[in-house]
Amino acid sequence: VQLQASGGGLVQAGGSLRLSCAASGRILIIDTMGWYRQAPGKQRELVAVVTAGGTTNYADSVKGRFTISRDNAKNTVYLQMDRLKPEDTAVYFCAAGRLALPRPEEYDYWGHGTLVTVSS
């Protein structure tokens, strides 16, 4: 399985960005897809993930501002990020796993990161 992420960039605080991650390859084995992020000097952390059945899990810090969605026909997951804050600045990584809502270490596939920079 290969994951191709896109959509990062520079935005002012309060603005919006949408990330996309398209999966290709043995996609039938994938249940959960989503996003993690890593800011400079910090550990990688959950942003939002969604299962094939539509169950979602969000980090508390993004609830009410970010929305994850998934198009199973296109094997693509999206992250709509609104009301962005400078603390959202990080490299965002797409992840895919065979389990439903796996722990971070249980994800099977990771995409290359895409940088999101939010200026104040």
Side-chain angles (χ1 to χ4, degrees):
V1 175
Q2 294 77 45
L3 302 176
Q4 182 65 49
S6 61
L10 172 64
V11 64
Q12 288 187 329
S16 299
L17 282 174
R18 189 171 90 147
L19 304 182
S20 300
C21 176
S24 60
R26 295 182 62 198
I27 56 180
L28 291 179
I29 67 174
I30 296 300
D31 187 289
T32 300
M33 294 183 70
W35 299 91
Y36 281 70
R37 67 186 180 187
Q38 187 166 17
K42 296 187 177 181
Q43 290 187 330
R44 190 173 296 189
E45 62 176 7
L46 169 75
V47 179
V49 294
V50 58
T51 69
T55 300
T56 58
N57 187 26
Y58 290 90
D60 288 342
S61 60
V62 307
K63 285 180 180 177
R65 300 188 298 121
F66 291 10
T67 303
I68 192 167
S69 60
R70 181 169 175 170
D71 186 334
N72 289 325
K74 295 182 178 180
N75 306 309
T76 300
V77 63
Y78 305 95
L79 185 68
Q80 178 66 40
M81 304 185 292
D82 298 317
R83 303 200 305 279
L84 282 159
K85 304 176 181 180
E87 50 264 45
D88 294 317
T89 295
V91 177
Y92 285 67
F93 296 90
C94 180
R98 292 169 290 173
L99 302 177
L101 300 180
R103 295 189 299 268
E105 63 272 22
E106 294 177 323
Y107 279 89
D108 300 285
Y109 307 99
W110 293 88
H112 294 294
T114 184
L115 178 62
V116 172
T117 303
V118 184
S119 62
S120 58

